[in-house]
Amino acid sequence: MNIFDRFRLDGKKAFVTGGARGIGKYAAIALAQAGADIAIIDRDMEPAQAAAEEIAAFGTRTLAVGADVSEYSDVQSMMVKILSEFGTVDIAFNNAGICINKNTQEMSLEEWKKVIDINLTGIYLTAKAAGMVMVAKKAGSIINTGSMAGHIIPEPQYHCAYSASKAGVIHLTKSLAAEWGIHNVRVNSISPGYIDTGLTQAVQRRSWIERVPLKRIGKPEDLQGAVVYLASDASSFTTGSDILVDGGFCCW
Ligand code: NDP
């Protein structure tokens, strides 16, 4: 088979959490351009619906689901909707996440729990829901969004809960890959560096750019190649991996 054909996702069924904007939305566009039907999952239905309508222009089926990924009951009803509309799930991009930038002395227990609940437990819940379907049919690709903050401690802003949650995502990914490889279910993560999205609007960025070897902040489009690669047969022998897409930040 031609190598470019191995990147195609025609007829595959995918969901993207946090798909209404930022990295998730651009990942959903890339998956649709490669041929997959896409369910956009986001906390609020309205932005999820708007993104789903926009992405439908690429010619594949889309579906919008409002769900909080940290709520078990929401994740259960999300899967019911996806399975009733699409019949199955082949690709899960577990991407929804938040960041609270605070020094540890100022962070409350509630804030710590909120970050861990969404960023780590949320990925556990959505990966498990997709994995149950994929293990049963012995095929599937799960992609989780980590962060370079799961590898290093970026500064000047501090966010101990965020960094801990993302290190957890990278190790959860390896753990699921080891467990589900025998069922032909691949599980990988992507760790972005600084990317220009809503998540990073409030933070001072000049010092970041100086430290990035490629001398710029990333765009959500910069993640699209890694997402399609990991979703597709082009990565058929890749599991338990983390792909850093950080402009070289972690080289230092
Ligand atoms: P954005 O804030 O632009 O988008 C995140 C999306 O996820 C929003 O639509 C948000 O909805 C949604 N979301 C948040 N919490 C939940 C939830 N509990 N259930 C369902 N949806 C939710 O962020 P990014 O696109 O930048 O971030 C995407 C992922 O990439 C995150 O996991 C983030 O940690 C990671 N990342 C981002 C980096 C960056 O520099 N931007 C760097 C490294 C990692 P709402 O609008 O309602 O909050």
Side-chain angles (χ1 to χ4, degrees):
M1 188 190 261
N2 182 305
I3 180 60
F4 293 110
D5 292 339
R6 298 187 70 196
F7 284 87
R8 292 296 311 174
L9 299 172
D10 301 290
K12 300 285 186 192
K13 313 297 177 194
F15 73 72
V16 177
T17 72
R21 61 192 176 101
I23 291 168
K25 181 174 168 187
Y26 279 84
I29 289 170
L31 293 170
Q33 287 174 335
D37 294 333
I38 310 287
I40 300 289
I41 320 300
D42 218 277
R43 193 168 13 211
D44 295 324
M45 185 61 181
E46 205 176 300
Q49 187 66 48
E53 283 169 17
E54 194 182 324
I55 293 165
F58 294 100
T60 61
R61 286 175 66 197
T62 62
L63 167 70
V65 183
D68 180 337
V69 296
S70 66
E71 293 290 338
Y72 179 58
S73 57
D74 280 20
V75 173
Q76 280 184 312
S77 24
M78 166 196 114
M79 281 308 291
V80 168
K81 272 190 197 154
I82 293 169
L83 293 178
S84 71
E85 287 288 325
F86 287 171
T88 192
V89 176
D90 304 293
I91 299 154
F93 185 34
N94 304 304
N95 163 76
I98 61 163
C99 183
I100 298 177
N101 291 309
K102 274 192 180 176
N103 293 339
T104 302
Q105 308 93 294
E106 287 146 18
M107 181 171 286
S108 67
L109 179 58
E110 288 66 35
E111 288 169 328
W112 165 273
K113 284 182 174 169
K114 187 174 177 191
V115 173
I116 299 293
D117 281 353
I118 295 174
N119 291 11
L120 183 55
T121 308
I123 286 196
Y124 162 75
L125 290 175
T126 53
K128 181 174 175 178
M132 306 266 276
V133 176
M134 294 174 181
V135 163
K137 66 176 187 170
K138 299 217 170 290
S141 173
I142 295 173
I143 306 160
N144 300 323
T145 302
S147 168
M148 70 175 179
H151 293 267
I152 52 132
I153 307 303
E155 46 139 21
Q157 74 291 337
Y158 290 109
H159 41 49
C160 70
Y162 183 78
S163 296
S165 72
K166 294 300 187 178
V169 168
I170 294 164
H171 218 65
L172 171 66
T173 299
K174 292 182 192 304
S175 186
L176 297 178
E179 204 175 322
W180 290 342
I182 197 166
H183 302 294
N184 193 35
V185 176
R186 298 185 297 107
V187 190
N188 294 286
S189 54
I190 296 174
S191 282
Y194 292 123
I195 308 294
D196 186 11
T197 68
L199 194 89
T200 50
Q201 288 308 310
V203 188
Q204 184 277 113
R205 302 164 166 206
R206 185 175 300 168
S207 67
W208 296 353
I209 295 171
E210 284 163 12
R211 289 201 48 187
V212 180
L214 288 179
K215 297 297 168 212
R216 67 175 174 88
I217 297 226
K219 304 184 289 283
E221 296 94 312
D222 289 318
L223 281 307
Q224 289 176 314
V227 173
V228 173
Y229 167 68
L230 289 176
S232 71
D233 286 346
S235 62
S236 54
F237 199 52
T238 303
T239 197
S241 289
D242 181 71
I243 299 183
L244 270 167
V245 183
D246 67 346
F249 194 98
C250 290
C251 292
W252 302 119

